[in-house]
Amino acid sequence: QVQLVESGGGLVQAGGSLGLSCAASGRGAYSMGWFRQAPGKEREFVSAIRWSGDSTYYADSVKGRFTISRDNAKNTVYLQMNSLKPEDTAVYYCAAAAAVYVYLYTSRSYDYWGQGTQVTVSS
């Protein structure tokens, strides 16, 4: 069982950077993911990282701009977002998956979710 709390959202100009953090409380080893949802849109995959940190995954729309990382000693996962675009505007959610071999690109693989943090990119 784990509880997730996101932080770091806010307003930034296009081309700027923003860093998100997700602090986890609970027991167990989890793969972690970031998803986002814009108004009127489906929740979409952004990035994910395995518990070991050795494997990372990115949506095509954010490759080369976003970087996911984690510090297991701090029970925290990070999403560094660079070269932000207005289309990145959304509520960003942190999620945790307990199963080892699940497909991390789908939200249905995750067991726990944070409350979300708003990211707004202005032009």
Side-chain angles (χ1 to χ4, degrees), residues 74-96:
K74 297 180 179 179
N75 292 320
T76 302
V77 63
Y78 307 94
L79 185 68
Q80 179 63 43
M81 304 182 293
N82 299 326
S83 301
L84 283 162
K85 305 174 181 180
E87 50 262 45
D88 294 318
T89 295
V91 177
Y92 283 70
Y93 297 91
C94 177

Side-chain angles (χ1 to χ4, degrees), residues 12-110:
V12 66
Q13 286 187 297
S17 298
L18 201 62
L20 304 182
S21 297
C22 176
S25 298
R27 296 174 60 87
Y30 298 91
S31 295
M32 303 294 295
W34 288 96
F35 289 76
R36 67 188 183 187
Q37 187 168 26
K41 300 288 187 179
E42 297 277 339
R43 184 171 297 188
E44 66 174 349
F45 170 81
V46 177
S47 186
I49 186 168
R50 296 286 182 184
W51 176 84
S52 66
D54 291 340
S55 298
T56 57
Y57 310 87
Y58 297 94
D60 289 341
S61 59
V62 306
K63 285 181 179 177
R65 300 189 297 120
F66 291 9
T67 302
I68 191 170
S69 62
R70 68 189 300 166
D71 186 339
N72 289 346
K74 297 180 179 179
N75 292 320
T76 302
V77 63
Y78 307 94
L79 185 68
Q80 179 63 43
M81 304 182 293
N82 299 326
S83 301
L84 283 162
K85 305 174 181 180
E87 50 262 45
D88 294 318
T89 295
V91 177
Y92 283 70
Y93 297 91
C94 177
V100 176
Y101 298 110
V102 296
Y103 184 64
L104 296 177
Y105 291 90
T106 177
S107 62
R108 289 175 290 186
S109 294
Y110 295 82

